[in-house]
Amino acid sequence: MTATTVLTARALLLDMDGTLVNSDAVVERIWHRWAERHGLDGAEVLKVVHGRQGHASMALLLPGRPKERNLEDNARMLAEETVDMDGVVAIPGAPEFLAALVDHGLPHALVTSADVALSTARMRAAGLALPAVRVTAESVGASKPDPEGFLKGAAELGVAPEDCVVFEDSGAGIAAGRSAGMRVVGVGSRAGFHGPDALVRDLTQVRVEALGDGTIRLHIG
């Protein structure tokens, strides 16, 4: 992106993995092991799993497998991920971005496919403060790309969906934001393949401005 894009919103909805936190090393380790156990190609598995809850990815990768087995595997994997913080770091610019939202009192929420334990552990490992409003795996009945999580985040903040901007890195997350009727800022190289409204390398390319009427102005690029 060579020119600056300006978007306005009344609330921001933030994905975690790949957007605020770089957890790719853990995700790759966990899912390569799962793929090997099931005779699948790890590289192909990783094309599916980003942004989704684990059991939803398993349902796509092993169609016809009983849901109960996917949920059991998902619970085991979440437990493994929650204690494996090796390589978990903040996305560049994430600490400053979150601090600006808090300092200006701007409405924002975390909307993640991780559960409470995993999201808490990863944000802490990355040195990031958890937003006061959080929508986690326990909060929804359907995983991204279903829009339920983003719609719940908007509702909890008391903001109409069309007045929200989503920050996402994955195809599933970008589709969820779009389905919720929201504009989407893509973060990182994965996001560029899925047509977000604006795209940044990382959060160092985002500047937040608070306007007097409660509007958030985003300078992107």
Side-chain angles (χ1 to χ4, degrees):
M1 182 178 296
T2 56
T4 299
T5 298
V6 176
L7 298 176
T8 58
R10 301 193 75 82
L12 306 183
L13 303 177
L14 315 174
D15 174 51
M16 182 180 71
D17 293 302
T19 301
L20 299 173
V21 174
N22 183 344
S23 57
D24 282 359
V26 182
V27 172
E28 290 175 10
R29 282 195 295 273
I30 296 290
W31 280 100
H32 271 291
R33 289 201 293 266
W34 184 87
E36 187 174 352
R37 287 197 296 270
H38 294 282
L40 299 174
D41 180 83
E44 293 302 312
V45 166
L46 287 171
K47 293 178 182 179
V48 172
V49 302
H50 290 290
R52 292 183 171 86
Q53 291 186 38
H55 63 85
S57 296
M58 294 171 195
L60 292 174
L61 292 161
L62 295 174
R65 188 182 194 225
K67 181 179 180 180
E68 293 73 18
R69 291 190 60 193
N70 291 338
L71 292 172
E72 289 169 2
D73 267 10
N74 187 58
R76 282 192 294 269
M77 291 173 72
L78 282 171
E80 291 176 32
E81 289 181 276
T82 301
V83 297
D84 185 355
M85 294 295 128
D86 187 20
V88 174
V89 296
I91 293 290
E96 296 81 2
F97 177 64
L98 288 173
L101 297 178
V102 172
D103 290 347
H104 292 300
L106 300 176
H108 63 287
L110 187 72
V111 181
T112 176
S113 293
D115 63 7
V116 169
L118 181 56
S119 58
T120 301
R122 282 191 177 157
M123 291 288 280
R124 181 180 294 127
L128 299 175
L130 278 163
V133 177
R134 300 183 288 276
V135 179
T136 62
E138 297 95 335
S139 309
V140 298
S143 172
K144 298 172 186 176
D146 191 281
E148 181 184 359
F150 287 125
L151 292 172
K152 282 200 168 186
E156 289 197 33
L157 292 172
V159 177
E162 61 268 23
D163 291 327
C164 295
V165 168
V166 167
F167 282 75
E168 263 286 359
D169 73 300
S170 71
I174 290 169
R178 284 272 177 78
S179 294
M182 301 171 183
R183 290 151 297 152
V184 182
V185 176
V187 180
S189 57
R190 276 194 297 267
F193 295 104
H194 304 286
D197 296 284
L199 178 66
V200 294
R201 178 186 64 252
D202 55 44
L203 295 172
T204 64
Q205 294 185 298
V206 180
R207 183 169 65 85
V208 178
E209 181 184 3
L211 304 183
D213 63 353
T215 301
I216 304 166
R217 182 179 288 157
L218 299 167
H219 301 266
I220 300 165

